[in-house]
Amino acid sequence: MAKPPRRTRRTAEEARELILDAAEAQLVKHGPDSLRLVQLAEEVGLSHPAILHHFGNREGLVRAVVERAMGRLEGQIVESLRAGDLHEGADAALLARVFRVLADEGHARLMVWLYLSGAITRDPIGPGRKLELIAGTIHELRRGRGVAADLEDTTFTVLLASYALLGNAIAGVPLRRGAGLADDDETGARVNARFLAWFARLLREHLERAPAPAAPTAPGSRGKRRR
């Protein structure tokens, strides 16, 4: 029987990152139900109480894994937006990058598991945490280009993209097959790439023009946010 790795002294941050790296590799490969904290502790050469100290429980560790990955992705998105990198082709590449993290790396599945398990109730996680920042950044770009749109329209557009990417990452394959668009994995991957390019063009065309005027608001209802 192989001996567990010897425990070495690490800083708290080093230990935390080591745990997250090992947990992410296991979660992406096998899913959240496979995660066992005692086994993970043995794998990384730390004690079980050390993992509990950093993350509290399994749900806390899964959440931390998702938040770290999404934080990196969101930083890349905001950086691209602030650099004005929204030309045709770059926007499709950006959506494809988000899709890879959500689908290929399994983080969409982990997010849904956290919500359905009750570990997350109302507070945002993953892409939801910085959607306001992303929407605000895009809205400033729209204003700079003279697009007469209110913040709510921009925010709803960002929400639409988030819904589409998350749903695609979780159920894209059966939905495409149900629509008669793919018969095998290779064909499905090509169709999905075309869908992401089409969706990026749809979003870009909307963001580059002023939306049609909204229907009159009923008396007593709340008005739209404007900025």
Side-chain angles (χ1 to χ4, degrees), residues 9-187:
R9 296 186 64 85
R10 300 180 177 89
T11 67
E13 184 60 27
E14 288 172 343
R16 191 176 190 278
E17 289 300 305
L18 183 66
I19 295 167
L20 288 172
D21 288 342
E24 183 171 31
Q26 185 170 335
L27 288 167
V28 169
K29 187 175 182 180
H30 299 294
D33 291 330
S34 69
L35 189 63
R36 300 291 181 268
L37 299 189
V38 173
Q39 295 176 358
L40 185 68
E42 293 178 354
E43 177 184 336
V44 298
L46 295 169
S47 66
H48 182 216
I51 295 181
L52 297 178
H53 170 74
H54 285 288
F55 304 102
N57 52 31
R58 181 174 64 161
E59 288 76 13
L61 177 54
V62 175
R63 175 171 183 148
V65 167
V66 173
E67 288 183 337
R68 185 179 69 160
M70 293 299 102
R72 291 171 177 168
L73 178 62
E74 289 155 353
Q76 295 171 1
I77 293 172
V78 172
E79 182 180 356
S80 295
L81 293 174
R82 286 175 174 169
D85 193 10
L86 284 176
H87 58 81
E88 185 174 358
D91 49 8
L94 185 60
L95 290 187
R97 189 189 317 166
V98 175
F99 178 78
R100 283 195 300 272
V101 173
L102 291 175
D104 298 343
E105 298 179 17
H107 290 290
R109 179 174 53 169
L110 298 181
M111 288 168 55
V112 171
W113 181 85
L114 283 168
Y115 281 111
L116 294 180
S117 69
I120 306 299
T121 53
R122 297 177 62 86
D123 54 325
I125 186 175
R129 184 172 293 276
K130 293 186 178 178
L131 279 184
E132 186 175 5
L133 173 60
I134 292 172
T137 303
I138 293 175
H139 192 65
E140 289 303 312
L141 288 172
R142 296 182 84 185
R143 292 181 61 189
R145 296 177 182 182
V147 178
D150 61 26
L151 180 59
E152 185 175 83
D153 178 82
T154 306
T155 302
F156 282 175
T157 305
V158 173
L159 276 175
L160 173 64
S162 301
Y163 296 151
L165 288 167
L166 186 61
N168 189 15
I170 294 169
V173 171
L175 288 176
R176 285 193 297 275
R177 288 178 176 169
L181 293 175
D183 296 324
D184 55 71
D185 292 341
E186 183 178 354
T187 304

